[in-house]
Amino acid sequence: MVKRVALLTAGGFAPCLSAAVGGLIRRYTEVSPETEIIAYQYGYHGLLTGNFVVVDEAARENAAILERFGGSPIGNSRVKLTNTANLVERGLIQEGQNALEVAAEQLRTDGVDVLHTIGGDDTNTTAADLAKYLEDHGHHMVVVGLPKTIDNDIVPIRQSLGAITAAEEAAEYAQNIVGEHRSSPRMLIIHEIMGRNCGWLAAAATRKYREWLDTQEFVPSIGLSKERWDVHALYVPEMAPDLDREAERLKAVMDEVGNVNIFISEGAGVPEIIHEMEEAGEEIQRDAFGHIKLDTINPGNWFANQFAKRLGAEKVMVQKSGYFSRSSRANEEDLELIRSMVDRAVEAALAGEAGVVGHDEENGNELSVIAFPRIAGHKAFDVFEPWFRELLNGIGQPFTADPPGKVR
């Protein structure tokens, strides 16, 4: 019998966290109202410090309200349990302590039977490590994760929660940013979209933006033209653009249209930027997870510097839609996905079935509870998807990726 369930959200925000927390509370209240629910505050930070709240009757009765908000009502943090030095420095564990052991013992002390983690691959696989530790030390706990990342890059899950909304929000953000194209002659606009290793979000946001563009009416005679509002280039980590050829192509666009709008994934061009920085002897800053701090290398600025002079730009604007997108409330399409995954997660938890809920790309896209050893991050965006090829063709950009399996 499941007596106590714990909820935990971790990593960066995505437009699904609040709705997923509300959904889990709703579903347990429907099918197992006797089960107590607690929520650790600020993810693994709260777990290490024993900081949690009990979900009371007011929260149960009003769980549906959480669907109306973005962010996470129970809080997130970027805490990696295997980065001992960082945890000691932050005062989350003492020198000589094992964070995995500290967290596992806290779960045992708190009497947690089921832990629901809402996060990316690292969040969920870390929770699986905690469950194994507890099992080895005489305490059975089931972990059922929900896949959260706006990058949509969790293997083997077809669609992670929040990514659909994030793409729509980035497209909406772009509607205002691209409107700046007449604020100066020969304007170059760079719209930097989240996506460290995967270009799905940038591609999906570009598609959403151009779908919106297709629904608009224009008045070319006064200067309001579709060509000026369109996307003229899209760069993702999975494709290395030929900068010289692109500069020549975009220079022609600038000469004809009067402005250039470029959408990029924040991971695009990073290998080239890192190479340049290392050649110059500059330090590469990394976060607790070992990820390069992209805000310190500024891919958007790098692309702007590559093109501004060669395009003859008189003004350059670099704008980032990441925080606007990731903190949004979930849209209706995401809410449907969240509700179906939440229901499956609660069903699995009550049956003692551990894993991450998602549509399994390696099993006919069936909604399943996927075993933790099969979960991995940094799934590459498939640039050979027909819709992506069509997207590039629509903006006049050459397709430069090699077919799968080809060695450069």
Side-chain angles (χ1 to χ4, degrees):
M1 179 180 177
V2 175
K3 295 181 179 179
R4 179 174 260 197
V5 167
L7 313 181
L8 179 153
T9 60
F13 275 176
C16 65
L17 297 173
S18 189
V21 169
L24 288 167
I25 295 170
R26 167 194 59 78
R27 191 57 178 160
Y28 272 107
T29 301
E30 290 173 349
V31 302
S32 185
E34 71 282 359
T35 297
E36 186 178 30
I37 306 171
I38 67 172
Y40 286 107
Q41 303 294 283
Y42 303 106
Y44 285 116
H45 189 290
L47 177 53
L48 287 172
T49 58
N51 181 13
F52 67 82
V53 297
V54 176
V55 176
D56 60 12
E57 286 305 312
R60 289 176 183 267
E61 291 171 5
N62 295 289
I65 292 176
L66 273 63
E67 289 189 350
R68 306 175 196 168
F69 289 85
S72 171
I74 61 177
N76 281 34
S77 63
R78 289 194 179 276
V79 172
K80 187 174 180 65
L81 295 186
T82 56
N83 191 338
T84 302
N86 178 260
L87 297 177
V88 171
E89 182 182 349
R90 294 165 69 177
L92 295 176
I93 62 171
Q94 301 299 313
E95 193 76 51
Q97 284 187 311
N98 181 329
L100 198 64
E101 181 179 344
V102 172
E105 285 303 315
Q106 188 65 54
L107 288 163
R108 183 187 60 77
T109 299
D110 295 338
V112 174
D113 302 305
V114 171
L115 176 63
H116 283 289
T117 51
I118 310 168
D121 62 293
D122 193 76
T123 296
N124 286 307
T125 53
T126 296
D129 291 339
L130 291 172
K132 183 179 185 306
Y133 176 91
L134 287 168
E135 194 74 40
D136 292 344
H137 290 78
H139 182 85
H140 179 67
M141 184 185 75
V142 176
V143 177
V144 183
L146 290 168
K148 174 271 327 172
T149 167
I150 62 174
D151 294 355
N152 196 31
D153 66 344
I154 302 176
V155 177
I157 294 171
R158 181 189 68 195
Q159 188 67 55
S160 59
L161 301 178
I164 295 170
T165 303
E168 181 177 87
E169 292 296 317
E172 181 179 347
Y173 181 92
Q175 292 169 24
N176 287 4
I177 295 307
V178 173
E180 287 281 338
H181 70 270
R182 295 290 270 175
S183 65
S184 173
R186 300 188 73 84
M187 183 77 171
L188 171 60
I189 295 175
I190 310 285
H191 175 200
E192 184 178 318
I193 303 165
M194 281 187 168
R196 176 182 297 275
N197 298 293
C198 177
W200 182 91
L201 181 61
T206 303
R207 178 167 63 166
K208 286 280 187 185
Y209 175 81
R210 298 194 79 239
E211 287 173 354
W212 168 79
L213 203 64
D214 285 341
T215 68
Q216 305 306 302
E217 296 180 308
F218 297 91
V219 190
S221 63
I222 196 65
L224 181 65
S225 71
K226 184 177 182 180
E227 292 75 18
R228 287 173 174 157
W229 281 81
D230 208 346
V231 180
H232 304 117
L234 167 62
Y235 305 127
V236 297
E238 293 81 1
M239 299 174 64
D242 184 324
L243 295 178
D244 291 331
R245 285 180 58 192
E246 280 295 277
E248 183 179 349
R249 180 179 73 84
L250 294 174
K251 172 67 161 50
V253 174
M254 182 72 86
D255 291 344
E256 179 181 352
V257 177
N259 63 282
V260 167
N261 307 314
I262 300 175
F263 286 24
I264 70 163
S265 171
E266 65 180 354
V270 167
E272 290 81 3
I273 300 171
I274 296 302
H275 177 73
E276 287 185 8
M277 292 179 69
E278 289 176 339
E279 287 286 304
E282 298 179 44
E283 180 185 0
I284 310 300
Q285 297 185 41
R286 298 178 183 272
D287 63 17
F289 289 81
H291 300 147
I292 294 166
K293 292 184 176 181
L294 293 175
D295 59 340
T296 66
I297 65 173
N298 289 312
N301 287 342
W302 185 82
F303 273 98
N305 291 334
Q306 296 299 313
F307 289 128
K309 186 174 182 180
R310 288 195 268 186
L311 270 57
E314 291 193 18
K315 184 178 179 181
V316 180
M317 174 182 285
V318 179
Q319 293 291 310
K320 303 179 182 182
S321 60
Y323 292 111
F324 180 87
S325 300
R326 76 176 202 169
S327 59
S328 170
R329 65 183 180 273
N331 66 14
E332 193 56 44
E333 187 175 357
D334 249 325
L335 285 175
E336 289 183 13
L337 188 63
I338 291 165
R339 291 164 187 155
S340 64
M341 287 196 185
V342 160
D343 289 354
R344 184 69 182 90
V346 172
E347 177 188 345
L350 295 175
E353 186 180 5
V356 180
V357 175
H359 293 86
D360 189 347
E361 290 184 309
E362 298 169 2
N363 188 27
N365 287 316
E366 180 182 345
L367 182 60
S368 312
V369 182
I370 302 167
F372 286 107
R374 295 182 55 212
I375 299 296
H378 310 315
K379 177 177 69 175
F381 170 54
D382 183 4
V383 295
F384 290 88
E385 286 275 0
W387 69 263
F388 181 70
R389 299 285 294 273
E390 183 179 343
L391 181 65
L392 290 189
N393 185 60
I395 64 178
Q397 180 175 330
F399 182 78
T400 57
D402 292 329
K406 181 175 179 180
V407 178
R408 290 184 182 273

